């Protein structure tokens, strides 16, 4: 085959591949109004932590959430073992499920003090068991915050140790029907794991399907790209997402133009991400008004991300 024939054949083959290659979860087509769209069937599953919705009681908060179309509830792990029945009863008959569990354990996994590490092991396993009973997607954890000392040094040996410990924890979580979810944080809060890709690599090296990672749009200001951050985890490892405004960590939309989540949402849709996008943030005004506006903003930007021009 001469060079001209080779290039012609290669071009045809490349065009065929490009025409048939679609990222997982992204199905291109045309909407009813003729505008080209993709990922139309990927739902935005919004979740609230317990302090997000207005209301004096859990029932009042859940009523507000249900009226707003929120489908996930993210409780704290603190005291969760004693709240399982309360939460089950509160969600009975509602279109709301438990999403992730937000930490709540004592100690930390990279503690040098054996007593502190034992606190972590005991309380984390209690929370994991409760999470399994509630059908939760996983229990969120951070290997070590900056202020937690004495802490194992940031070395390859520490990383190996962390992966070994996470393997055991992940296998336990699997046996309970849930997972452990690593949360990367910004450098002001956590020295060890700052990028979603870091967390995903540790989850991979833990060698357990019970170890996953999440992304938090507030902490993801460490990233060079929201899109790249989620893609670096992929659907195999990405288990949860946190939302907040990107200037003051309040309700999405409170920081104006800074609160653009479209690129990240585009990645979630192309991955076919079917877990929860959960609010973890403060509030700078009337809660009912700002929460409703934030949910509407996310839905608008989710639709914008679905448009393939």
């Amino acid at each position: 085959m001469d060079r001209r024939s080779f290039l012609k054949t290669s071009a045809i083959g490349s065009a065929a591949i490009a025409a048939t290659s679609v990222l997982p979860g992204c199905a291109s087509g045309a909407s009813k109004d003729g505008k080209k769209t993709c990922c139309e069937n990927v739902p935005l599953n919004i979740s609230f932590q317990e302090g997000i919705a207005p209301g004096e009681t859990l029932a009042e908060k859940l009523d507000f959430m249900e009226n707003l179309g929120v489908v996930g509830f993210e409780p704290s792990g603190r005291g969760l073992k004693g709240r399982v029945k309360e939460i089950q009863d509160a969600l009975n008959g509602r279109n709301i499920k438990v999403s992730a569990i937000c930490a709540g354990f004592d100690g930390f996994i990279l503690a040098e003090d054996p007593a502190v590490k034992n606190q972590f092991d005991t309380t984390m396993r209690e929370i994991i068991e409760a999470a399994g009973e509630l059908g939760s997607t996983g229990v969120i954890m951070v290997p070590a915050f900056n202020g937690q000392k004495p802490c194992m040094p940031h070395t390859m040996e520490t990383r190996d140790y962390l992966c070994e410990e996470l393997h055991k924890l992940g296998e336990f979580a699997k046996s309970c029907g849930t997972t452990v979810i690593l949360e990367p944080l910004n450098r002001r809060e956590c020295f060890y794991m700052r990028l979603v890709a870091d967390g995903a690599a540790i989850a991979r090296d833990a060698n357990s399907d019970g170890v996953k990672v999440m992304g938090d749009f507030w902490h993801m200001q460490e990233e060079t790209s929201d899109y790249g951050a989620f893609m670096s985890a992929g659907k195999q490892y990405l288990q949860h997402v946190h939302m907040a405004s990107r200037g003051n960590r309040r309700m999405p939309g409170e920081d104006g133009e800074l609160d653009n989540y479209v690129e990240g949402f585009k990645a979630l849709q192309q991955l076919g991400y079917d877990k929860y996008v959960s609010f973890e943030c403060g509030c700078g005004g009337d809660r009912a008004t700002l929460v409703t506006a934030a949910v509407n903003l996310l839905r608008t930007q989710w639709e914008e991300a679905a448009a393939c021009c």
Side-chain angles (χ1 to χ4, degrees), residues 240-308:
H240 197 58
V241 173
H242 272 166
M243 297 299 311
S245 72
R246 311 198 80 169
N248 295 296
R249 205 177 187 182
R250 292 179 174 174
M251 292 296 158
E254 286 197 57
D255 287 323
E257 293 182 359
L258 288 177
D259 296 341
N260 188 317
Y261 311 98
V262 173
E263 287 303 307
F265 283 175
K266 191 178 296 183
L268 295 179
Q269 294 185 53
Q270 289 179 357
L271 288 170
Y273 176 78
D274 57 0
K275 303 299 190 300
Y276 294 93
V277 173
S278 192
F279 280 50
E280 182 186 57
C281 50
C283 183
D286 179 73
R287 185 168 292 274
T289 301
L290 291 175
V291 169
T292 301
V295 168
N296 290 336
L297 173 69
L298 263 58
R299 287 176 175 150
T300 297
Q301 292 194 7
W302 188 262
E303 291 178 2
E304 184 180 342
C308 292

Side-chain angles (χ1 to χ4, degrees), residues 117-130:
K117 172 59 164 56
N118 185 62
Q119 280 184 319
F120 169 81
D121 290 334
T122 302
T123 56
M124 183 65 169
R125 279 166 172 75
E126 284 183 355
I127 297 169
I128 288 172
E129 287 178 334

Side-chain angles (χ1 to χ4, degrees), residues 127-149:
I127 297 169
I128 288 172
E129 287 178 334
E133 290 184 64
L134 290 168
S136 168
T137 56
V139 181
I140 298 168
M141 64 164 285
V142 174
F145 287 88
N146 288 341
Q148 291 180 311
K149 299 177 181 179

Side-chain angles (χ1 to χ4, degrees), residues 57-88:
T57 66
L58 179 56
E60 289 177 357
K61 293 174 185 292
L62 293 172
D63 285 343
F64 181 91
M65 291 164 61
E66 204 162 36
N67 289 334
L68 201 54
V70 174
V71 296
F73 173 60
E74 181 184 327
S76 168
R78 182 72 59 184
L80 188 67
K81 182 179 179 180
R83 296 190 66 198
V84 170
K85 188 175 187 307
E86 173 203 349
I87 293 173
Q88 288 173 333

Side-chain angles (χ1 to χ4, degrees), residues 9-50:
T9 303
S10 299
I12 293 171
S14 298
I17 292 171
T20 57
S21 296
V22 181
L23 285 165
C26 182
S28 296
S31 63
K32 292 179 180 178
D33 60 4
K35 187 176 181 179
K36 190 178 179 184
T37 61
C38 72
C39 312
E40 289 180 318
N41 297 321
V42 181
L44 173 60
N45 297 319
I46 297 178
S47 168
F48 281 179
Q49 287 189 341
E50 193 160 356

